Amino acid sequence: MALDAKQADDFHYLFFAKGFNSCVMGALRPYGNLFGCCIGKRRRLISSLTDLILSCPALKDYVPSNSNGNLTKKNYAEVLLAVVGIAGFIGTSALCKQVLDDIPDEYSIDLDDKMAVTMAVLEAARMKAPVNNVNVMLGNKLTLTINGKEYTFDRGTPVAASIGLSSVDANQFDNPHVFNPERENLLSSSINFNHVGYTKVGFGKRQCP
């Protein structure tokens, strides 16, 4: 299934528009509610693109179950739209920008060497994470030390772990603000795009989404 020109424009508008017409900003609470009268276009685009996903042959036999959170077919399509747009569209475009901005012009890369290209891309993304944080709900009560002070968070608390700060942690990466794709621990310690480590033959233990 492919998008036609109008659908591609609609998709781009939904995830790159400014203000509350965008998919992300319009979902913020309570602010999205306050500007509800101004985000009619956002609702129409979400509805139209959700219908497109619903027509996909892969969802023909979709049935709510424990494995998909018992979401209705429409709700599942809405989640897929958000995942594709935010993780695939916005995240990937941010990564492309990082590659263009942060790989020094004087750094020579053998474009026929896939591993060399991968290392350069990982290092560019490490220096400024295109996906800055990962959001989770705490499964257990947790006490953390932040700026020298202890804070305790109850089970079920939503938290955001900063991929960006972790990727420039001097305890993990020597001279973290210096571009160096030859770091010995770049593959094993990389958490860009919510990956936990890489190997020379593939991704690590976990991959987003």
Side-chain angles (χ1 to χ4, degrees), residues 13 22 51-52 78-79 102 105 172 185 200:
Y13 182 90
S22 74
D51 287 344
L52 179 66
E78 290 172 343
V79 171
D102 282 5
D105 292 339
Q172 291 293 323
N185 66 335
K200 291 185 177 181

Side-chain angles (χ1 to χ4, degrees), residues 20-33:
F20 290 95
N21 267 326
S22 74
C23 181
V24 177
M25 291 296 292
L28 294 178
R29 299 292 182 266
Y31 307 107
N33 288 340

Side-chain angles (χ1 to χ4, degrees), residues 102-166:
D102 282 5
I103 295 181
D105 292 339
E106 63 274 15
Y107 184 79
S108 178
I109 304 174
D110 179 359
L111 298 181
D112 292 324
D113 185 338
K114 292 184 178 180
M115 197 61 207
V117 173
T118 296
M119 296 293 280
V121 171
L122 285 178
E123 177 68 352
R126 181 199 64 77
M127 294 183 68
K128 186 175 180 182
V131 176
N132 189 49
N133 59 276
V134 54
N135 306 303
V136 297
M137 301 284 283
L138 291 182
N140 297 292
K141 192 173 185 177
L142 180 66
T143 298
L144 297 173
T145 301
I146 304 173
N147 290 332
K149 185 176 180 180
E150 286 194 348
Y151 296 86
T152 299
F153 302 90
D154 291 331
R155 181 179 182 275
T157 301
V159 297
S162 176
I163 296 174
L165 291 177
S166 298

